[in-house]
Amino acid sequence: MSTKRSLFTPGLAIAGATGLLLAVAAPLAASAHVTITPDSAEPGDYALVTVQVPNESATAGTNSVEVSLPTGPPFSSVAYTPVPGWSTELVRTTLPEPITVGEGEVTEAVTSIVWTADAGSEIADGQLQQFDLTLGPVPDVGSIVLPAVQTYTDGEIVEWTETVEDAQYPAPVLFVTDEPAGDHHDGGSDGGSDGGSDGGADVDAAETEAAASVTSSTSDDVLARVLGVGGLVVGAVGIVLAIAARRGSRA
C-alpha cells in the first residue's frame, strides 16, 4: 500500500524563507527614509515640496511627523495641503531680529510643521504617507537642511536629523545653488573672480555633509537591491534542491 507524502521539507521552508527575507527586507531597510521630493529649488521661487514618510515598524504605526524649517533666513510663506485623517500645525517663532525678505520685513516665521494622525489614520506597516508643502521665497543659499522627527504609537521616536557622511538617519535636504547629490557637471562657475574661487565657500560643513549622506543612502539602496535579487536566487535554488532530493528518495 502506497502512502502519500508531502513535498514540504524543513530544507525547502528554510531556503524559501531565507530568499524571501533577503529579497524583501533588505531593500526596505535601506530605502525607508523620510525624504523630500523634489530635492532642489531655484532661489526666489516658491517651491512645492512633498515630504514622504514611510513606516518602518512592523508592530506600531506612525502617528506624528515634525519637520523643522530654517530661521536664517526663514521662509516668509509656508502653506500646506490638508491630509484626510491628519491635523496640521504651523509652529511660529518670533525672530531675534527682523529680517528683510523682498520688499517686506519679517518679524516672525514658521519654524516647524507638525502633522498628527487621528485615531485609525496612522501610517501602518508597509505604508507611505505624503505631505505637501509650499515654501517660499527660497533663500539664495547652497542648500537647506530640513530635519524631521517621526513618532510611533509605541512611543518610539526616530530623528531624521543627521548630516554626517554615511548617516543612518539622514536629514532631508533641499538643494538650492548646490547641485543635488549625484549631479556632477564641469565648469560650475557662479560668476566669481578669475582667481581660485571654489564656488562653495559659503556653504557650511553641515550642509556639505548632508549632501554626502544622500549619496551614501543611494549607494546603500542599490546594494540592498542586489542582495535582494541574490536572496531570490538562493531561495529558488533551495526549492529546486529540495524537490530533487524528495524525488530521489521516492525512486
Side-chain angles (χ1 to χ4, degrees), residues 140-142 177-178 190 198-204 207:
D140 189 0
V141 295
T177 59
D178 286 347
D190 59 358
D198 59 9
D202 60 336
V203 182
D204 60 34
E207 292 169 342

Side-chain angles (χ1 to χ4, degrees), residues 47-72:
L48 175 60
V49 175
T50 299
V51 181
Q52 299 179 332
V53 183
N55 189 83
E56 292 188 304
S57 174
T59 59
T62 297
N63 60 359
S64 178
V65 178
E66 180 176 3
V67 173
S68 297
L69 302 179
T71 57

